[in-house]
Amino acid sequence: MLELNFLRVNTERVKEGLRVRNFSDEALSIVDDIINLDDRRKATQTELDSLLAERNTLSREIGQLFKSGQKDEAEQKRSRVNDIKEEAASLEEALKAIKTELDEALYQVPNIPHPSVPKGSTENDNEVYKAWAEALPEMGSDALPHWELAQKYNLFDLELGTKITGSGFPLYRGKGARLQRALISFFLDEANRAGYEEILPPLIVNEDSARATGQLPDKEGQMYHIEKDGFYLIPTGEVPITNIFRDEILSEDDFPVKLTGYTPCFRREAGSYGAHVRGLNRVHQFDKVEIVRYEHPDRSYEALEEMLAHVGGLLDKLELPYRILRLCGGDLGFTAALTFDFEVYSAAQQRWLEVSSVSNFETYQSNRMKLRFKDGKSTRLAHTLNGSALALARIFAALLENNQTENGIIIPKALQSYTGFDLID
RNA sequence: GGAGGAGUGGCAGAGCGGUUGAAUGCACCGGUCUUGAAAACCGGCAUGGGUCACACCAUCGGGGGUUCGAAUCCCUCCUCCUCCGCCA
């Protein structure tokens, strides 16, 4: 969430940022509401503190009086303390209510977009940051979409997944399963080469973790919830990996912290069925390699550039045509300040498929997480960033579709040592 | 799953109802000394709220309670350790 102090000092900047996210004038009043709530919080806190201070003083005196046998005076002060306790109790209750209200309001305020984020309301307003320079591949009219290719070559089976679990849980098999495993290894190796430490995290997280990275309360319906234990299945590796440093104070020379991890991701995707979500285009469970960074605020945008280069490099090696979009205010995720999406062109479906999202969250996550670092004498919030490198299901789909030939599906060179075969036929 | 024990500052480890936000040691940072380093000595060293700065308030695994007053007593949850059971 936004830092209260930042919001107080830069009220206009915050409002401008929210306008880029299409907040109406009416909706913008939440900023002033928050400041008012915080004023009330401070006033109540101060009042309570002085009561408690008085109680502490009196209690100390009572102790002395009892020791020296002045019972009457002690009793007198004791009754005064009892009065204070009643007053304090009601103030505490009021304070708690204000804090809850304040937190709820704060949770409703998304991150302030980076100045480069274009205004806009839908994905159509996203800016093409880097277009695909060459001609897009064209396929004959007999080109098959990946779900038909999968059937033809026995690569994955959605009906079986439905039988075992339900719709949207693909079951990969044969060369399909091996291709999936090859992609995971390839992405992890590439991330390792780029200096990211490999993490294999828990796939189920507690409420604190889900809150810290912003999945709660904003996206509660997106996650599978294990009610009995109060846990959530992770919707992305970002959640467990970013939470490694929750409530930690780093020293300045710990930067940059670069982590990577492969995890399955579980998403409920309530209500999304239809033509555009056929096959692997949108599923409840998919595999992903994530890269996560904690950075000094002065260097986080350099880090973002590096991450873009890394993800672009992966797609180059996979020989897939792609473009990079800078998300507009309307499409920007709740917690991000700046996000670049990577889209791969699927020739058979003749559409762009989102395969990666690379974001700088600045201090929005670290404020929730209390992830800080020592900057000389003071303690400051670190910047967090993450990106998919990459999301498997759609990469898998694009590979099948773009590389189909009469003789079978060609595996790109970079992957062949991982798959152990160069053709699916 | 059953029985017992324990959770204190970066770490180790005292405190077990009243100037204890917390002894002591180590680590760390500054200084004196030294050609330099080590040693020795002196000083500093939790987080958050609050303040111009102090004062002050909160925090000794989390939550609740008893008390004029709790790190210290009670309840509850969590985590870790030991033993038994089960098990990839």
Side-chain angles (χ1 to χ4, degrees):
Chain A
M1 65 183 105
L2 289 183
E3 292 167 83
L4 248 176
N5 196 45
F6 178 86
L7 188 141
R8 295 189 75 106
V9 175
N10 304 287
T11 311
E12 276 318 304
R13 231 177 103 192
V14 169
K15 286 185 179 174
E16 266 168 51
L18 293 180
R19 277 195 198 99
V20 174
R21 286 186 182 268
N22 307 310
F23 269 56
S24 66
D25 287 342
E26 200 183 333
L28 279 179
S29 66
I30 191 167
V31 177
D32 299 310
D33 293 348
I34 286 171
I35 292 173
N36 287 334
L37 276 167
D38 191 43
D39 287 339
R40 277 172 60 204
R41 194 211 96 234
K42 278 192 197 181
T44 314
Q45 181 76 259
T46 306
E47 205 180 333
L48 175 63
D49 282 356
S50 61
L51 272 178
L52 292 178
E54 192 185 347
R55 181 203 66 185
N56 289 344
T57 311
L58 285 172
S59 291
R60 232 169 285 144
E61 289 170 4
I62 290 169
Q64 295 300 329
L65 289 170
F66 269 122
K67 262 185 203 163
S68 57
Q70 296 165 271
K71 284 209 170 127
D72 291 349
E73 281 184 48
E75 283 303 333
Q76 218 170 15
K77 298 202 172 189
R78 195 143 80 171
S79 77
R80 168 64 189 141
V81 172
N82 278 325
D83 290 347
I84 290 175
K85 273 167 76 176
E86 270 177 50
E87 279 179 69
S90 75
L91 273 176
E92 249 167 55
E93 209 173 307
L95 185 63
K96 208 170 160 184
I98 292 169
K99 276 185 172 168
T100 305
E101 208 180 328
L102 182 59
D103 276 347
E104 275 167 10
L106 231 29
Y107 276 131
Q108 284 174 43
V109 180
N111 204 348
I112 300 308
H114 186 266
S116 70
V117 170
K119 220 172 145 64
S121 47
T122 70
E123 54 186 300
N124 299 321
D125 300 317
N126 293 336
E127 167 199 323
V128 178
Y129 175 72
K130 190 180 167 195
W132 182 245
E134 299 159 42
L136 289 173
E138 284 187 41
M139 306 237 112
S141 56
D142 55 343
L144 300 175
H146 66 270
W147 51 91
E148 288 182 26
L149 289 165
Q151 211 159 23
K152 182 170 173 187
Y153 297 111
N154 200 25
L155 299 176
F156 63 82
D157 190 326
L158 294 175
E159 281 72 38
L160 268 181
T162 303
K163 172 182 173 183
I164 296 167
T165 307
S167 154
F169 290 89
L171 178 144
Y172 296 86
R173 65 193 315 168
K175 282 187 172 174
R178 287 178 61 186
L179 176 56
Q180 189 78 358
R181 179 157 57 90
L183 283 164
I184 293 166
S185 294
F186 170 65
F187 292 148
L188 282 174
D189 284 353
E190 290 292 314
N192 278 310
R193 246 189 295 271
Y196 292 86
E197 183 195 353
E198 187 168 337
I199 304 289
L200 189 64
L203 307 180
I204 294 175
V205 296
N206 60 30
E207 208 175 296
D208 286 346
S209 295
R211 189 172 299 280
T213 36
Q215 274 68 30
L216 289 179
D218 327 320
K219 294 182 192 157
E220 169 139 38
Q222 175 74 291
M223 290 188 290
Y224 288 98
H225 187 196
I226 302 170
E227 273 180 52
K228 197 166 178 188
D229 302 288
F231 294 152
Y232 294 87
L233 266 64
I234 57 169
T236 158
E238 163 194 351
V239 181
I241 294 174
T242 308
N243 268 284
I244 291 173
F245 285 85
R246 168 151 53 87
D247 287 321
E248 294 288 331
I249 300 176
L250 302 170
S251 81
E252 207 174 335
D253 44 275
D254 287 329
F255 293 126
V257 178
K258 301 167 71 177
L259 304 170
T260 186
Y262 151 70
T263 69
C265 302
F266 305 94
R267 298 189 182 178
R268 296 185 63 235
E269 310 282 5
S272 40
Y273 297 94
H276 274 192
V277 298
R278 280 196 75 173
L280 297 178
N281 286 351
R282 185 177 290 174
V283 284
H284 291 308
Q285 179 184 326
F286 62 95
D287 294 305
K288 180 154 66 68
V289 172
E290 185 81 358
I291 50 177
V292 172
R293 295 176 69 137
Y294 314 120
E295 287 287 345
H296 189 286
D298 294 346
R299 291 189 292 271
S300 68
Y301 280 95
E302 278 170 48
L304 187 66
E305 288 295 329
E306 267 179 55
M307 292 165 79
L308 291 183
H310 178 74
V311 174
L314 296 176
L315 292 170
D316 287 335
K317 287 183 184 170
L318 292 177
E319 302 167 44
L320 290 168
Y322 68 92
R323 63 179 187 182
I324 306 177
L325 303 178
R326 190 200 303 267
L327 296 195
C328 72
D331 211 20
L332 190 64
F334 196 83
T335 54
L338 178 60
T339 296
F340 291 99
D341 272 6
F342 281 73
E343 292 187 332
V344 162
Y345 188 72
S346 165
Q349 293 185 64
Q350 295 186 335
R351 54 192 279 258
W352 293 93
L353 296 175
E354 182 191 332
V355 293
S356 176
S357 201
V358 183
S359 307
N360 188 350
F361 302 92
E362 297 191 359
T363 58
Y364 196 88
Q365 286 183 331
S366 56
N367 188 35
R368 280 198 191 175
M369 279 201 292
K370 299 291 169 263
L371 165 55
R372 293 156 294 171
F373 71 99
K374 280 279 177 206
D375 187 20
K377 273 228 145 189
S378 65
T379 309
R380 295 174 62 191
L381 294 170
H383 280 194
T384 65
L385 304 93
N386 69 49
S388 0
L390 285 159
L392 273 275
R394 290 177 188 160
I395 288 289
F396 189 100
L399 278 177
L400 301 193
E401 292 177 1
N402 289 7
N403 295 355
Q404 59 183 300
T405 67
E406 285 174 10
N407 304 321
I409 295 163
I410 296 168
I411 302 296
K413 277 206 177 58
L415 272 184
Q416 289 175 6
S417 64
Y418 289 93
T419 52
F421 51 83
D422 53 14
L423 190 71
I424 295 173
D425 54 9

